[in-house]
Amino acid sequence: MKILIADDSRVMRQIVTRTLRQAGFGDHDLVEAADGKQAVDMAVAEKPDLVISDWNMPEMTGIEVLRQLRAAGNNVKFGFVTSECTPEMQQAAEAAGSAFFIVKPFTAERFDEVFSPILG
């Protein structure tokens, strides 16, 4: 399976990658996007099974990425790993079709709990 990690922070992409490995998902093919526009392009080109996105990114926000993918008929499993979390953000994510909303800081246990049902 292929996982797209979209975050404008290279360090955060590395932390997400490391945490995925710690949670037992290290054998999946991991690809990265450094901003929202790149995330849309990569989601189309790479056809990942899962997109893990930050909320606030340059070019396009994570919610804009999700909405654009859904508008184009792309139903990839998509969710957020973000430091901000308001009820409005969670409602917007859910309404747009987000599968999960993980708040930083996160643990390998939290990743396992969220991603095991998605990745098997």
Side-chain angles (χ1 to χ4, degrees):
M1 293 187 88
K2 189 180 288 187
I3 302 171
L4 171 59
I5 302 163
D7 198 305
D8 54 311
S9 163
R10 188 179 58 80
V11 171
M12 188 49 64
R13 292 193 308 270
Q14 290 173 334
I15 291 169
V16 169
T17 297
R18 186 177 67 232
T19 307
L20 282 167
R21 288 194 181 112
Q22 290 169 342
F25 304 114
D27 55 346
H28 295 292
D29 185 11
L30 306 177
V31 291
E32 297 182 8
D35 64 45
K37 179 171 178 349
Q38 200 177 49
V40 171
D41 294 344
M42 296 279 287
V44 171
E46 297 283 340
K47 300 190 180 9
D49 300 287
L50 173 66
V51 177
I52 301 170
S53 179
D54 188 19
W55 188 277
N56 289 308
M57 295 183 288
E59 305 296 329
M60 295 173 80
T61 64
I63 192 71
E64 289 169 338
V65 172
L66 175 55
R67 288 176 179 148
Q68 184 165 330
L69 290 172
R70 292 298 186 257
N74 187 326
N75 289 318
V76 63
K77 290 208 182 324
F78 190 110
F80 296 94
V81 173
T82 184
S83 51
E84 292 177 66
C85 178
T86 65
E88 294 78 21
M89 287 169 75
Q90 284 187 296
Q91 287 163 0
E94 219 172 276
S98 175
F100 56 88
F101 202 100
I102 297 172
V103 182
K104 300 171 188 171
F106 46 78
T107 62
E109 291 75 25
R110 177 75 175 127
F111 270 29
D112 183 46
E113 175 187 307
V114 172
F115 299 133
S116 283
I118 294 171
L119 299 172

